[in-house]
Amino acid sequence: MDIKTMNPRQEFLKTIQYEKISIAIRAGKIWLATQRMLKRTGKTFSIESSENSSDKMTFSFDEIRHLYLLQLAATHIKSVRGYSSWVEISLLQERVPRLVSWATSHMIIPSSVRRKVDAYRQIKTSSEKQQSTSVKEFSGSLYSALHQALESKPAADKLISQLPSTHEDARKITEPDIKAYGYVGKTIAPVFVLFTLECKRLGYSTEHEVLLRLQRLIKDSDKLNMLGNSLYFTFLYPDDEDLFSHFFIEYQKGTKSSGEREVYATKFIQDVYSRYLHTANKRNYIKRKHKKWSE
């Protein structure tokens, strides 16, 4: 029943219901994690939707919802034993989502891959003079920002109550498919499976189709996971050659047999691992060497 067609008593009861749901959501870890991420951006809340707004220093409820859903998906991954700190959500710096309807440029990433990417970004910028910039967070809570912009706590509660608040609600979400993310840690190649899900969510449809074929082609779970690490790294850290894009272009070029395609994937893994996916000691050595050359 639409609230506009309700009598005063029904409207009052519905408002109370929205408030209760809102309070429960705002007390949860997922909402608080979403709030922390948005506060770090230095942006402020705007009623205008992301599609209509050209202001890069504001965020809409679309962004709140999408970050909340990403946190929910990550929580489902972490719920599997041994995966409690396996993933994190990071802002994409070099690439953007191809899916127009997705309001935020964030990605769920294995923490080990994110650390390696950050290490190489530090190496790349170590010789450049870095200008420190402080981010001014919006004051108060995310809820406070919402109801002040909307000029109504009931309106803020109604918006928040649209977010999934129960396991049943979460299972109904199809974009992203929360249930699928919950199975990541139970698969034989979790890094590869997660990257495949994230490619689909971000609108990389051509790459997603290739990944599904690779999953059927490569039977070795260790190799499949190493391919996942390699693709994640090159997606997040596009060097001058853009190995990520090159891999998919070359993989689909011509008529290759299944054996040739697997050999090509293996060579790609070896190339990325030999260039970038070293141990921490090797990365530190490269960083010291790079610093010495730049002096």
Side-chain angles (χ1 to χ4, degrees):
M1 184 183 293
D2 193 288
I3 199 165
K4 292 179 181 178
T5 64
M6 297 177 186
N7 62 44
R9 177 173 171 74
Q10 290 172 325
E11 186 175 334
F12 172 76
L13 292 174
K14 199 67 178 176
T15 300
I16 295 299
Q17 182 185 7
Y18 289 147
E19 184 181 13
K20 286 182 178 179
I21 296 171
S22 172
I23 289 171
I25 288 173
R26 288 186 281 117
K29 291 181 179 180
I30 295 172
W31 175 268
L32 295 174
T34 303
Q35 175 177 272
R36 282 195 300 273
M37 289 191 72
L38 287 168
K39 285 179 81 72
R40 289 172 189 157
T41 65
K43 298 179 180 181
T44 55
F45 176 71
S46 170
I47 301 173
E48 193 173 5
S49 71
S50 301
E51 293 180 5
N52 300 327
S53 177
S54 58
D55 188 352
K56 295 182 179 180
M57 290 312 295
T58 63
F59 63 87
S60 67
F61 190 76
D62 290 337
E63 290 181 69
I64 295 174
R65 181 178 183 276
H66 288 159
L67 273 179
Y68 184 91
L69 292 179
L70 280 187
Q71 291 287 354
L72 185 60
T75 298
H76 273 63
I77 296 171
K78 294 175 182 179
S79 66
V80 177
R81 186 175 180 181
Y83 286 78
S84 61
S85 57
W86 189 68
V87 292
E88 54 194 76
I89 298 170
S90 294
L91 182 68
L92 292 174
Q93 296 187 26
E94 281 84 8
R95 301 187 196 271
V96 295
R98 291 177 181 167
L99 199 63
V100 178
S101 62
W102 199 257
T104 179
S105 298
H106 288 79
M107 189 177 196
I108 303 176
I109 304 168
S111 299
S112 59
V113 175
R114 194 273 307 157
R115 287 193 293 269
K116 287 180 172 65
V117 170
D118 282 357
Y120 272 95
R121 283 181 181 146
Q122 289 172 14
I123 292 172
K124 189 176 181 180
T125 59
S126 61
S127 62
E128 300 172 8
K129 188 175 181 180
Q130 298 298 303
Q131 190 172 16
S132 60
T133 54
S134 58
V135 174
K136 186 178 180 181
E137 299 181 353
F138 59 82
S139 59
S141 67
L142 180 55
Y143 178 65
S144 176
L146 272 172
H147 78 68
Q148 285 177 20
L150 295 167
E151 299 181 346
S152 166
K153 283 189 176 182
D157 289 332
K158 184 179 179 181
L159 268 182
I160 294 169
S161 70
Q162 296 171 10
L163 299 171
S165 58
T166 65
H167 288 296
E168 291 73 20
D169 290 340
R171 290 177 67 84
K172 294 174 185 175
I173 302 295
T174 57
E175 190 184 335
D177 186 344
I178 301 297
K179 296 195 297 292
Y181 283 82
Y183 289 118
V184 166
K186 301 173 184 177
T187 63
I188 60 172
V191 179
F192 184 87
V193 171
L194 178 58
F195 186 75
T196 302
L197 288 171
E198 284 295 87
C199 267
K200 180 182 180 182
R201 181 183 66 80
L202 292 168
Y204 286 76
S205 54
T206 301
E207 291 82 353
H208 179 253
E209 289 300 319
V210 172
L211 292 172
L212 292 178
R213 293 200 293 271
L214 281 164
Q215 192 170 4
R216 292 190 292 269
L217 174 66
I218 300 174
K219 307 301 180 185
D220 185 328
S221 59
D222 289 336
K223 183 185 288 187
L224 204 56
N225 237 7
M226 290 173 72
L227 180 57
N229 282 326
S230 301
L231 289 169
Y232 248 122
F233 184 91
T234 54
F235 181 85
L236 295 166
Y237 185 77
D239 58 11
D240 295 337
E241 297 176 54
D242 193 358
L243 295 176
F244 176 82
S245 299
H246 184 74
F247 171 78
F248 287 97
I249 291 169
E250 290 299 317
Y251 184 87
Q252 296 177 93
K253 189 180 291 184
T255 54
K256 296 183 178 73
S257 66
S258 296
E260 288 172 330
R261 292 184 189 281
E262 184 165 1
V263 168
Y264 178 70
T266 302
K267 287 181 178 178
F268 172 73
I269 294 168
Q270 292 170 344
D271 189 18
V272 176
Y273 268 75
S274 64
R275 292 194 197 193
Y276 299 114
L277 299 182
H278 311 295
T279 62
N281 287 338
K282 181 68 178 289
R283 287 197 305 276
N284 288 333
Y285 168 75
I286 294 171
K287 188 174 182 178
R288 290 195 300 272
K289 196 172 182 181
H290 187 277
K291 184 178 181 181
K292 186 177 180 181
W293 287 346
S294 61
E295 288 176 348

